[in-house]
Amino acid sequence: MENKVDFFEQLRKLPTSCISDALDMLGINGGCELIRPLTQGMALVGPAFTLQYEQVKEGEKAPAGEFIDEVPAGSVVVIANGGRYCTVWGDLLTIAAKQKGIKGTVIDGCCRDATSIIQMNYPIFTKGTYMKSGKNRVKLVGKQIPVRIGNTIVHPGDVICADDSGVIVIPQEVLPEVVEKALAVEIMEQQIIRDLREGISMKDARERHNYNNFALLLNK
Amino acid sequence: MENKVDFFEQLRKLPTSCISDALDMLGINGGCELIRPLTQGMALVGPAFTLQYEQVKEGEKAPAGEFIDEVPAGSVVVIANGGRYCTVWGDLLTIAAKQKGIKGTVIDGCCRDATSIIQMNYPIFTKGTYMKSGKNRVKLVGKQIPVRIGNTIVHPGDVICADDSGVIVIPQEVLPEVVEKALAVEIMEQQIIRDLREGISMKDARERHNYNNFALLLNK
Amino acid sequence: MENKVDFFEQLRKLPTSCISDALDMLGINGGCELIRPLTQGMALVGPAFTLQYEQVKEGEKAPAGEFIDEVPAGSVVVIANGGRYCTVWGDLLTIAAKQKGIKGTVIDGCCRDATSIIQMNYPIFTKGTYMKSGKNRVKLVGKQIPVRIGNTIVHPGDVICADDSGVIVIPQEVLPEVVEKALAVEIMEQQIIRDLREGISMKDARERHNYNNFALLLNK
């Protein structure tokens, strides 16, 4: 588990595109479509703490979900709300999350209190913003179970990485391989950038550094 | 009517989430789905001046809508254009609106001249931006009538509140009740925030301040 | 062709809304729906260098598209990827494009490496961001052929203009007419703005400067 923290350190320096390329090499599609940063410049890395919400029945009462006290420091809260247009995150949860050292929140759905959350600079990745509460509209039905975010299944402890391009999920069982491959991609791309800056053509730079066959090269 | 101005003052200090919770207590759903600020940080409060647009018939000519000279200072212009992808607001209307002391504009549709409107810092909430004029595409068919914005009906004089989370509509007949309840929600949430900052758990803080039964408490 | 450069200079000072009005006068609809700036404040003008992508067959391998070395300085790269949710542009292409003096990129689809591209301040207009590579998902099947971006066909050499309101395309055969008409619209609107600032009503200002019949006036 010590290693995991080192992996997180390395992932924090990598764009989601390199991580995605590493997942592609393993045939894993970890992207979460249509989930975007609440505002520009947000980024996060950490293990998922997952939550499943469901719609309530007509007239059923449902309080706000109780979970934040259980989330360990360093985690990323991952809320599966089926893209519903009511909110499962706001400023109270944000303040609690910051107090606890939680790294950020990913929602297949909406958050509210966008103005104050942006001021607090807490990383949220979500389908959008709205102000209607989820209270009495949806209910928390599962904690730390596999959930779907966009088109990807997230298991508790899977590693969530996000930046301005979006959110990607690394299954925890392939974490060491993915970090190794993503670092190799990043180094190869830095070499291409150096070549481009020296006036070498893209075609030549890609060939010199095996851009198109890099996966094969790594798997040798 | 003097009171109304005081209510507006109070609403300006409240996030749309508290206003939405107050409307929820009354069983009113005032949210306008998918209407977003033109850029981050925009907010407005004021009574609606409503406008209804319709598509023109094939080949029908239609000039730009004439309405801005009739809009009273302090109003919010609310334009129902059925989410159509042509524009009913641009920089000329923005300059006129600022001259007149109009508070902002909400559009179920698009606006253009986004670059200069953002520079002028005039609050616009809209489905998106585009550059194609509504001229000869849509026509103004009604002023100061009930209109639909997103999924909510707006009557002339209803109070529009908007921030980074989106746009919400307070029917004017419930304005005093909504302001009272929204302020109570805000005060209760500030108490929870104080508790959280002192290290009290979310569960305990919510219980101490009746977070989940606050509506019942207020209605006692 | 010298003239073209002068036209580009003039277009750079005009908002896309004036250009769109000029195209409307000629019955041409050049708008590209749902294509937005990667971040606020991006703008570009230049002739299109067009690229057509297609989905690969199940299991088909496809390398990254080779084209950037062929794009002339001053061009705008226009990539038709059918709005697909995989990326055909990232930071390597951005660095190459900046080295070469390319003006920007328009994508009916997604780009990745949003964080670093925003830092480089390179103008990209796109449907959204994602991190999954187009490699082995889509392939480049045509260069410098007519392509569709949103709802508009772009021919190689057509002039692309974009700002915060979106992307518009001027067919190159009408470039002189469009620039002339767009400048006339801009001057007329500046006159209305001056009137509004002097307290003249919108109705009067529009009438004085023939706002609603400006197309007829120009075509006299």
Side-chain angles (χ1 to χ4, degrees), chain B residues 152-191:
Chain B
T152 286
I153 305 296
V154 185
H155 295 83
D158 284 353
V159 180
I160 310 295
C161 303
D163 59 18
D164 286 307
S165 301
V167 178
I168 194 156
V169 181
I170 310 173
Q172 59 177 326
E173 59 275 16
V174 294
L175 180 60
E177 274 171 282
V178 169
V179 173
E180 187 195 341
K181 283 181 184 354
L183 280 169
V185 170
E186 172 72 355
I187 289 164
M188 178 269 290
E189 296 209 343
Q190 289 303 326
Q191 289 166 338

Side-chain angles (χ1 to χ4, degrees), chain A residues 201-203, chain C residues 49 51 65-73 75 100 102 140 143-144:
Chain A
S201 73
M202 178 67 90
K203 191 167 189 299
Chain C
F49 186 98
L51 299 155
E66 285 292 351
F67 62 84
I68 197 75
D69 299 327
E70 304 164 41
V71 183
S75 304
K100 299 196 54 156
I102 293 168
L140 180 58
K143 294 178 200 177
Q144 292 288 64

Side-chain angles (χ1 to χ4, degrees), chain C residues 11 14 18-19 22-23 26 28 170-171 174-183:
Chain C
L11 288 169
L14 290 169
C18 290
I19 298 164
L23 284 169
L26 300 169
I28 297 167
I170 310 173
V174 293
L175 180 61
E177 275 171 282
V178 168
V179 172
E180 186 195 342
K181 283 181 184 352
L183 281 169

Side-chain angles (χ1 to χ4, degrees), chain A residues 36 38-40 62-69 85 91-93 95-96 99 111-116 118 120 129-133 135 137, chain B residues 15-17 20-21 23-24 28-34 40 151 163-168 189 192-193 196-197 199 201-203 206 211-212:
Chain A
R36 297 179 306 246
L38 181 60
T39 189
Q40 198 177 293
E66 285 293 352
F67 62 84
I68 198 74
D69 299 327
Y85 225 67
D91 56 1
L92 296 187
L93 285 169
I95 288 163
Q99 288 272 121
C111 80
R112 62 186 197 165
D113 297 315
T115 305
S116 62
I118 292 167
M120 286 189 262
T129 60
Y130 202 41
M131 75 293 295
K132 304 303 293 180
S133 172
K135 201 192 279 184
R137 291 190 173 88
Chain B
T16 53
S17 53
S20 177
D21 287 353
L23 285 169
D24 272 350
I28 298 167
N29 182 1
C32 299
E33 291 192 5
L34 300 174
Q40 198 177 293
N151 48 353
D163 59 18
D164 286 307
S165 301
V167 178
I168 194 156
E189 296 209 343
I192 293 180
I193 289 171
L196 292 172
R197 294 227 155 103
S201 73
M202 178 67 90
K203 191 169 189 297
R206 279 181 175 164
Y211 183 78
N212 277 315

Side-chain angles (χ1 to χ4, degrees), chain A residues 15-17 20-21 23-24 28-34 40 151 163-168 189 192-193 196-197 199 201-203 206 211-212, chain C residues 36 38-40 62-69 85 91-93 95-96 99 111-116 118 120 129-133 135 137:
Chain A
T16 54
S17 52
S20 177
D21 287 353
L23 285 169
D24 273 349
I28 297 167
N29 182 1
C32 299
E33 293 193 3
L34 300 175
Q40 198 177 293
N151 48 352
D163 60 17
D164 287 307
S165 302
V167 178
I168 194 156
E189 296 209 343
I192 293 181
I193 289 171
L196 292 173
R197 294 228 155 101
S201 73
M202 178 67 90
K203 191 167 189 299
R206 280 181 174 165
Y211 182 78
N212 277 314
Chain C
R36 296 178 308 247
L38 181 59
T39 189
Q40 198 177 292
E66 285 292 351
F67 62 84
I68 197 75
D69 299 327
Y85 225 67
D91 57 0
L92 296 187
L93 284 169
I95 289 162
Q99 288 272 121
C111 80
R112 63 186 198 165
D113 296 315
T115 305
S116 62
I118 292 167
M120 286 189 263
T129 60
Y130 202 40
M131 75 294 293
K132 304 303 294 179
S133 172
K135 202 192 279 185
R137 292 189 172 89

Side-chain angles (χ1 to χ4, degrees), chain B residues 86-125:
Chain B
C86 66
T87 64
V88 286
W89 191 274
D91 57 0
L92 296 187
L93 284 169
T94 301
I95 288 163
K98 281 180 78 92
Q99 288 271 120
K100 297 196 57 155
I102 293 168
K103 292 293 181 189
T105 299
V106 174
I107 310 168
D108 185 13
C110 295
C111 80
R112 63 185 197 167
D113 296 316
T115 304
S116 63
I117 295 174
I118 292 167
Q119 278 163 7
M120 286 188 263
N121 200 28
Y122 176 81
I124 295 192
F125 293 75

Side-chain angles (χ1 to χ4, degrees), chain C residues 6-21:
Chain C
D6 296 341
F7 288 139
F8 297 160
E9 270 309 302
Q10 293 180 295
L11 288 169
R12 258 186 277 279
K13 293 169 203 154
L14 290 169
T16 54
S17 52
C18 290
I19 298 164
S20 177
D21 288 353

